[in-house]
Amino acid sequence: LREEWILDELKQVDPTDATMQHKTTCAWLLTPGHQQVSLSAAQVLASGSPMNAEVRFVSCVVEHPRASDAEFQVVNKAAERLLEVGGSTAVEGKLHFDVSEI
């Protein structure tokens, strides 16, 4: 999944563009509760992408701010989805998470 995403993204950038270098990608899928969900429903997120979720955790600074790192964004997005599903009640879920550097 992540490899397909990378190949598609590379087709859309100029060969001299460095935006796809040194980027963390994260393929992820959140399954709330005991739902059975196919891993084919996973999504890919790259560092620097807009998060489009409320920040639920505080990021650290190691060489640069980590708030835009893919793995940090995914954890925040997962927390946001669990809160949307559960409202004010506790919800359990599984976060399938695979991180790689380009």
Side-chain angles (χ1 to χ4, degrees):
L1 175 67
R2 188 178 52 244
E3 290 78 11
E4 290 174 24
W5 179 88
I6 292 168
L7 291 173
D8 287 342
E9 289 294 312
L10 287 172
K11 289 176 189 173
Q12 299 174 34
V13 296
D14 184 276
T16 60
D17 188 349
T19 57
M20 291 301 291
Q21 295 179 3
H22 306 292
K23 200 175 265 287
T24 303
T25 58
C26 183
W28 70 287
L29 175 67
L30 176 67
T31 55
H34 297 286
Q35 296 177 10
Q36 295 296 321
V37 179
S38 168
L39 291 178
S40 65
Q43 300 175 359
V44 175
L45 189 135
S47 294
S49 303
M51 187 160 52
N52 300 328
E54 190 168 331
V55 176
R56 301 288 177 182
F57 301 96
V58 177
S59 66
C60 67
V61 175
V62 179
E63 296 180 15
H64 65 84
R66 299 295 169 170
S68 67
D69 286 4
E71 59 275 26
F72 180 78
Q73 290 193 42
V74 166
V75 170
N76 273 284
K77 286 176 171 276
E80 183 70 17
R81 288 198 184 160
L82 287 173
L83 289 169
E84 288 172 358
V85 170
S88 61
T89 60
V91 176
E92 74 177 63
K94 288 183 192 174
L95 178 58
H96 305 268
F97 194 90
D98 183 37
V99 181
S100 181
E101 184 85 16
I102 296 176

